[in-house]
Amino acid sequence: MNWCIHVAVQTPAHSALGDVLSYTSPCAVAPGALVRVPLGRREVLGVVWAARSPEEAATDEASAGALDVAMPDLKPIAGVLDALPALGDAWRDLVGFAARYYQRSLGEIALAALPPQLRDMSAVQLGRRLKRRSAAADRVAAAPEAGPVALTPEQAQALARIEAEAGPFLLFGSTGSGKTEVYLRSVAALLAREPDAQALVMVPEINLTPQLEARFKARFGAEAVVSLHSGMTNPQRLASWIAAHGGSARIVLGTRMAVFASMPALRLIVVDEEHDPSYKQQEGARYSARDLAVWRGQREGAKVVLGSATPSLESWHRSRPATAGDAGGNYLRLAMPSRVGAVALPAVRLVDMNLQPPRTVISGALLDAIGQRIARGEQSMIFLNRRGYAPVLACGDCGWKSECPHCSAYRVFHKIDRTLRCHHCGFTERVPRACPACGNPDIAPVGRGTERLEEHLGELFAAVRHADGGAVRIARIDADSTRRQGALESQLAAVHAGEVDVLVGTQMIAKGHDFRRITLVAAVNPDGALFSSDFRAPERLFSLLMQSAGRAGRDAAYLAAQGSTAEMWIQTHHPQHPLFAALRRHDHAGFAQGELEERAAAGMPPFAFQALLRADARTQEAAQAFLNAASAAADSLPGAELVTRYPAVPLTIQRIANVERAQMLIESSSRAALQRLLAGWQPLLHGLRKAPEGKGVIRWLVDVDPQSI
Ligand code: ADP
Ligand code: ZN
Ligand code: ZN
């Protein structure tokens, strides 16, 4: 008699296979065990989700009336990776919840949460690997820190509340208020109290992990800390994962994927820069690592600390204090308004670009201010959220523009290698010598990206010398300049070492970095986001500008020694915009309140819950027809009357790589009602895809709690 083992495996998205597949085993296999199982002609990694004893399996079959599809038809599992302890119930619950909530298969989430290398390892290989790993771990030496600093009163108070209360906490701390120190101390207190406890600390971007890793390793010793992010090699990821799963890693640092790390003794989760859109995965399973962290903390009894200088409106709303008519949110808001060393936040200066000569890129006043900083040996950072040389190349004679033949978008002109590159599909060509439409040799760049800004600054400062007589050093950091492995680290190191006077870059440089000598930050053209159709655009812009400002004047001693002050410059055609007024006051609370009032009035998140159904098809008509049919099919579902379905519309960038894209917004004031509808919809959508309504549809997907609309 055999056991019946239910196993989660990676099945192709949208395949007809169920969530778990059944196999047989002559002996019991614990739920959570990693196994190798046959699937088609391959053998794949799987996670045991449930195991039924021979007696139970027999009853299951009898009650299902399925004696004819008896177990003998099932294939046996091929092997058990028993060198590793089984994944815990809590981990499987997390995966199960994420799969249900984000409308994906269990196997997809479970397997994506495991290190890729594990997929191809036999039990023997894994066993060997584990032996090697424990030998290596013994050799690592710790480099302890010089000795922790004395906490500021605000830090001490935040820490005391985190120790004393259950949370979840929203640590609302200004840029430079020392949030990292609070995280470090919370972890230290936990590890002192519970010798086996583990902590998970997440940051939004890979490029923030080295800085954080260095600080945690200095404090807790190198062997206590591992990282998990997609910039690591597969062997590194496997080693980190094993250390987290086995409990030898006390602290796991990582990007959003780390929320799924198996940590059997998890007691604390920190989500730094919790407002950051990068916590939402934008492909495959579109989960929010921040939201899952809160769920996971609750399920596992781990404290959750969300930190930000500009909390998302969702978290801000959830942490609202109680008032007469309102019980308040369930998060606890902890405020750290002051910067360490009592440095002031940078003074915000608005430059009215309407008053500048036409085609001004950098106003005279800003130029002067940067020049003074160069002369004093200080650094400036100029921020422009658009990479490449120019967003469009155009012919003045016939109106030709550098459209991408495969997308509804322009190709960006990159001067460095004289290419036109589509940032959506990647299609790249050499820049034509003359207009492809009319032969005019005079085709010209329109608009400005970081590459062009860098070039322009070089011209503007060509004659300027800094204190020691040398030429001005301008550097650029963006996705293009950092493509090579290790490039970003070395570029950041150059900035930290003072080898750069003016740093130009995209939002990559605006976040998180603890620059010490930057005293001026400028946003030269942020207006685009003021008039976006996405209702979250103002929130994004505000936090990006606040974060950018937060890179200036972070070191009190340096400012004092220089006799300098920190400034944030903003060039805009809309100086009266209330967003800038709030920014000048560093008033996140005021900004958030205004936005929340508008959202409440319009019934938008966080006062409503949304999902998007998206369809990609050969034609826009086919994509929309599928969505409209899906909407009609949803009429009969339970709870449909509580959920608003909007008409299907093309996406802002309607066509990418010759695929037409359309979406439909679904909204409800009840999260439960929305979830109920989505659950009932899923099988109908699978059916529709194969029906005539699905003709021409390449794929469809559901995005729950979408971040951009
Ligand atoms: P945030 O993440 O809030 O922007 P950081 O955690 O990066 O700020 O802290 C800003 C700087 O202040 C860092 O260089 C950090 O080492 C320093 N710092 C933090 N707490 C203290 C303290 N209590 N005393 C002295 N320096 C501190
Ligand atoms: Zn032309
Ligand atoms: Zn393209």
Side-chain angles (χ1 to χ4, degrees), residues 149-152 155 173-183 185 211 215 272-273 309 336 340-341 512-514 516 547 550-551 554:
V149 291
L151 292 179
T152 66
Q155 285 173 325
S174 297
T175 52
S177 62
K179 291 184 286 296
T180 314
E181 188 62 34
V182 175
Y183 308 149
R185 296 290 181 102
Q211 169 185 326
R215 290 190 69 180
D272 191 24
E273 314 289 8
M336 299 203 301
V340 173
H513 297 287
D514 191 24
R516 312 304 286 171
Q547 294 291 335
R551 299 314 111 211
R554 294 173 68 85

Side-chain angles (χ1 to χ4, degrees), residues 404 406-407 422 425:
C404 175
H406 310 297
C407 306
C422 175
C425 74

Side-chain angles (χ1 to χ4, degrees), residues 61 172 185 387 428 503 527 545 595 622 634 651 673:
E61 280 172 25
F172 172 46
R185 296 290 181 102
R387 67 192 167 87
T428 302
L503 175 63
D527 285 349
L545 293 177
E595 287 289 304
L651 263 70

Side-chain angles (χ1 to χ4, degrees), residues 316-392:
W316 189 250
H317 180 64
R318 272 170 211 146
S319 66
R320 71 195 181 281
T323 57
D326 173 20
N330 63 323
Y331 296 1
L332 200 63
R333 196 184 290 169
L334 309 172
M336 299 203 301
S338 321
R339 284 185 143 183
V340 173
V343 223
L345 284 163
V348 176
R349 295 184 191 279
L350 296 179
V351 179
D352 185 346
M353 293 307 277
N354 301 301
L355 308 178
Q356 302 294 318
R359 284 211 254 284
T360 300
V361 180
I362 308 242
S363 64
L366 175 54
L367 218 49
D368 281 349
I370 298 172
Q372 287 164 21
R373 262 121 186 134
I374 294 172
R376 292 200 299 262
E378 297 165 23
Q379 296 174 314
S380 300
M381 182 174 110
I382 305 187
F383 165 66
L384 178 64
N385 226 356
R386 179 176 261 170
R387 67 192 167 87
Y389 189 83
V392 189

Side-chain angles (χ1 to χ4, degrees), residues 385-543:
N385 226 356
R386 179 176 261 170
R387 67 192 167 87
Y389 189 83
V392 189
L393 205 59
C395 168
D397 278 3
C398 76
W400 173 86
K401 285 183 174 155
S402 56
E403 259 166 275
C404 175
H406 310 297
C407 306
S408 46
Y410 295 116
R411 279 175 297 165
V412 175
F413 173 37
H414 289 256
K415 195 175 177 185
I416 281 186
D417 53 3
R418 299 208 60 83
T419 55
L420 289 178
R421 274 189 237 161
C422 175
H423 287 186
H424 302 286
C425 74
F427 181 65
T428 302
E429 276 181 334
R430 300 268 311 159
V431 170
R433 290 191 187 287
C435 171
C438 75
N440 168 20
D442 232 12
I443 44 177
V446 180
R448 192 169 304 275
T450 45
E451 220 185 88
R452 192 176 191 182
L453 183 60
E454 180 190 20
E455 179 186 272
H456 187 59
L457 286 164
E459 290 158 7
L460 290 171
F461 290 117
V464 178
R465 293 283 165 267
H466 59 84
D468 61 20
V472 175
R473 297 155 306 178
I474 298 168
R476 170 170 58 91
I477 296 187
D478 57 26
D480 296 317
S481 78
T482 55
R483 224 168 279 272
R484 203 168 33 79
Q485 176 90 33
L488 178 63
E489 285 84 344
S490 63
Q491 288 169 11
L492 286 172
V495 179
H496 285 295
E499 290 159 13
V500 170
D501 302 309
V502 180
L503 175 63
V504 179
T506 54
Q507 61 176 344
M508 226 175 190
I509 54 173
K511 296 178 183 181
H513 297 287
D514 191 24
F515 297 118
R516 312 304 286 171
R517 297 187 218 186
I518 288 182
T519 58
L520 181 147
V521 172
V524 290
N525 186 15
D527 285 349
L530 291 176
F531 304 100
S532 161
S533 60
D534 188 334
F535 70 90
R536 281 194 178 84
E539 177 185 358
R540 292 267 164 77
L541 178 61
F542 185 78
S543 72

